[in-house]
C-alpha cells in the first residue's frame, strides 16, 4: 500500500527549514498547516504526530490525500501528496522544470512495480513514486527536509 511506502520514504528530521512547497514551511505548527491545507485528522492514535487531509488543492491541481508528520517541538517535518495517476505527467514536469532532472530508478518485486524519481534541492528531499501493484496504480510525492546539501559532496 502506498501509505506504507510513504512511511518508509518520509523520515523525520530535527531541524526546521524554510522550504517545502509554496505556502508551507518546515517547522510550522498544526494550526498553521490547517490554515493552508484545511482540517486534517490524526491517522492513528498510536502514531501521534501523523495527520491526513482529504481533497486538497495544490495550486489548481486536486490532491486526493495529504499525509504529514508534525513533531510537537519542531513542527512540520514531512509531507506526502497522493495524486490521481492522470496528473502524474504534469506533476513530474513541474518538478523537473523547478528542480532539474531527477535521479530515477525502477523496483520490481513480485506483482509490484515501482518507478521512483528523487530530487535533492539542498533544502528538500523530494521523492515521487508511481506504484503498479495488483491491478492498482498510485502516484505519491513526498517531501522532507534534506540532511545533505549537494554542494558538500
Amino acid at each position: 500500500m502506498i501509505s506504507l511506502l510513504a512511511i518508509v520514504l518520509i523520515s523525520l528530521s530535527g531541524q526546521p527549514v524554510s522550504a517545502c512547497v509554496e505556502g508551507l514551511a518546515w517547522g510550522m505548527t498544526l494550526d498553521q498547516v490547517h490554515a493552508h491545507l484545511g482540517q486534517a485528522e490524526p491517522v492513528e492514535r498510536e502514531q501521534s504526530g501523523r495527520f491526513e487531509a482529504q481533497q486538497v488543492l495544490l495550486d489548481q491541481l486536486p490532491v486526493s490525500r495529504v499525509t504529514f508528520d508534525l513533531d510537537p517541538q519542531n513542527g512540520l517535518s514531512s509531507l506526502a501528496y497522493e495524486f490521481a495517476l492522470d496528473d502524474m505527467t504534469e506533476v513530474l514536469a513541474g518538478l523537473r522544470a523547478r528542480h532539474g532532472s531527477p535521479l530515477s530508478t525502477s523496483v520490481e518485486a513480485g506483482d509490484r512495480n515501482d518507478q521512483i524519481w528523487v530530487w535533492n534541492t539542498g533544502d528538500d528531499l523530494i521523492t515521487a513514486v508511481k506504484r503498479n501493484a495488483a491491478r492498482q496504480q498510485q502516484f505519491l510525492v513526498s517531501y522532507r527536509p534534506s540532511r545533505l546539501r549537494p554542494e558538500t559532496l
Side-chain angles (χ1 to χ4, degrees):
M1 176 163 206
I2 200 82
S3 297
L4 181 59
L5 183 59
I7 292 166
V8 171
L9 292 175
I10 300 173
S11 63
L12 300 175
S13 175
Q15 292 197 332
V17 177
S18 179
C20 202
V21 296
E22 187 175 336
L24 293 173
W26 301 127
M28 284 182 137
T29 65
L30 183 58
D31 289 338
Q32 291 170 315
V33 175
H34 279 173
H36 184 75
L37 296 176
Q39 193 62 32
E41 300 297 324
V43 173
E44 292 180 13
R45 294 201 191 282
E46 300 97 36
Q47 251 191 335
S48 63
R50 179 156 291 163
F51 297 86
E52 186 176 282
Q54 304 280 332
Q55 305 307 318
V56 174
L57 286 176
L58 183 62
D59 196 8
Q60 299 175 28
L61 198 61
V63 178
S64 55
R65 177 174 46 195
V66 179
T67 305
F68 61 93
D69 290 326
L70 202 126
D71 180 86
Q73 286 82 28
N74 297 314
L76 182 63
S77 59
S78 67
L79 181 67
Y81 291 99
E82 189 173 334
F83 293 95
L85 196 60
D86 292 345
D87 296 326
M88 181 181 81
T89 302
E90 186 172 1
V91 172
L92 290 173
L95 286 166
R96 183 180 176 129
R98 183 170 181 194
H99 302 294
S101 295
L103 169 70
S104 60
T105 190
S106 295
V107 177
E108 292 186 36
D111 68 343
R112 192 182 85 215
N113 179 13
D114 294 341
Q115 289 179 277
I116 303 168
W117 299 267
V118 180
W119 292 262
N120 184 342
T121 70
D123 292 321
D124 301 319
L125 182 67
I126 305 167
T127 306
V129 179
K130 177 189 176 194
R131 170 162 284 176
N132 292 314
R135 297 184 186 174
Q136 185 178 10
Q137 295 184 329
Q138 296 173 297
F139 179 60
L140 172 85
V141 177
S142 68
Y143 294 77
R144 72 160 174 85
S146 178
R147 297 175 294 159
L148 177 67
R149 296 199 174 278
E151 61 269 11
T152 61
L153 295 174

